[in-house]
């Protein structure tokens, strides 16, 4: 049986490193939100495994909601975001934490967080597994970041290349011959 792991050039962040870092982030979130019953807003589909891993470690009262925000087409940022129908009454006067897989230019998170702020959240912070600081274009100040990574296109642990590789248990880089040019 051929495994998708054969398409991986290198592993950037292991499963164990992700688990360890999620435990640390959960401690930080516990200190900040233990009495606030916050809403974790999981951005589908990329942040699903990260959210699930965080749930292993989050022990305080909290809620989860999901939204779909689309910003990428293949390997290129389109520069625009699309948010599917969401009942904004759910987040009115609530502490909201946007859960994202990766921040690249920061445009997706900026547009999404601005939108939720307009809809009357009590507070809003960003929790992202990965950040590519060299590419950050917009002022964002995400409060909770798992790992800062260099400017490479990564896949795995929720991150896709044309909808594939989300099921890799680690974050890695694809072999060049796998990527369509
Ligand atoms: P931004 O708006 O910050 O430029 O892009 C954020 C979105 O682009 C992420 O939610 C993710 O879907 C996608 N993205 C950015 N960099 C990468 C990457 O290295 N790999 C994958 N698979 N998606 C990425």
């Amino acid at each position: 049986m051929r495994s998708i792991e054969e398409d991986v050039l290198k592993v950037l962040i292991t499963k164990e490193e992700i688990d360890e870092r999620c435990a640390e982030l959960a401690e930080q979130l516990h200190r900040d939100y233990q009495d606030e019953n916050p809403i974790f807003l999981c951005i589908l589909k990329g942040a699903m495994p990260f959210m699930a891993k965080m749930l292993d470690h989050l022990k305080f009262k909290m809620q989860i909601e999901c939204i779909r925000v689309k910003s990428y087409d293949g390997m290129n940022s389109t520069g625009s975001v699309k948010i599917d129908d969401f009942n904004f009454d759910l987040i009115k006067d609530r502490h909201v934490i946007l859960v994202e897989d990766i921040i690249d230019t920061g445009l997706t998170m900026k547009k999404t967080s601005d939108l939720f702020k307009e809809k009357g959240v009590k507070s809003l912070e960003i929790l992202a597994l990965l950040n590519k600081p060299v590419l950050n274009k917009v002022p964002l100040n995400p409060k909770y970041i798992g790992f800062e990574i260099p400017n490479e296109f990564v896949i795995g642990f929720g991150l896709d290349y044309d909808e594939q590789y989300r099921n890799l248990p680690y974050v890695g880089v694809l072999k060049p011959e796998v990527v369509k040019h």
Side-chain angles (χ1 to χ4, degrees):
M1 190 189 70
R2 195 180 179 283
S3 161
I4 53 168
E5 305 214 28
E6 289 172 36
D7 293 345
V8 177
L9 178 71
K10 61 178 175 188
V11 176
L12 221 55
I13 308 166
T14 65
K15 191 180 172 189
E16 292 73 26
E17 285 168 334
I18 294 172
D19 191 38
E20 206 174 299
R21 185 69 187 119
C22 285
E24 288 171 3
L25 287 169
E27 266 178 43
Q28 206 182 337
L29 287 157
H30 183 97
R31 283 195 295 275
D32 296 349
Y33 290 99
Q34 56 186 317
D35 301 318
E36 307 290 357
N37 189 14
I39 297 182
F40 284 78
L41 210 51
C42 175
I43 302 185
L44 300 174
K45 302 171 223 169
M48 250 188 320
F50 177 41
M51 184 75 252
K53 181 51 75 183
M54 288 303 300
L55 291 183
D56 283 348
H57 299 286
L58 293 169
K59 303 295 175 204
F60 54 86
K61 207 174 164 197
M62 57 161 287
Q63 283 173 240
I64 303 177
E65 297 293 339
C66 295
I67 53 166
R68 296 220 42 185
V69 179
K70 198 147 172 46
S71 72
Y72 250 61
D73 173 21
M75 286 178 79
N76 302 304
S77 178
T78 59
S80 61
V81 297
K82 189 174 170 295
I83 299 178
D84 288 351
D85 286 346
F86 180 77
N87 178 5
F88 287 99
D89 289 343
L90 292 170
I91 48 90
K92 237 183 168 34
D93 292 322
R94 298 293 300 273
H95 294 286
V96 171
I97 300 148
L98 282 175
V99 185
E100 175 64 310
D101 50 5
I102 187 165
I103 298 170
D104 188 331
T105 63
L107 274 168
T108 310
M109 275 297 89
K110 175 77 179 128
K111 289 188 179 179
T112 311
S113 52
D114 283 355
L115 181 78
F116 278 95
K117 281 177 191 164
E118 279 169 25
K119 301 290 183 186
V121 294
K122 200 169 190 176
S123 73
L124 188 134
E125 297 293 350
I126 292 168
L127 165 65
L129 176 66
L130 306 170
N131 186 27
K132 292 183 189 171
V134 285
L135 290 185
N136 291 174
K137 274 193 197 152
V138 291
L140 199 61
N141 291 325
K143 190 165 182 185
Y144 309 97
I145 293 288
F147 302 89
E148 308 239 298
I149 59 164
N151 179 19
E152 276 187 288
F153 186 82
V154 291
I155 42 84
F157 207 75
L159 289 144
D160 75 308
Y161 170 57
D162 281 346
E163 293 304 324
Q164 297 297 308
Y165 306 105
R166 294 190 197 274
N167 51 329
L168 284 169
Y170 46 75
V171 174
V173 177
L174 286 173
K175 288 178 182 165
E177 61 267 30
V178 179
V179 178
K180 287 179 243 149
H181 291 286

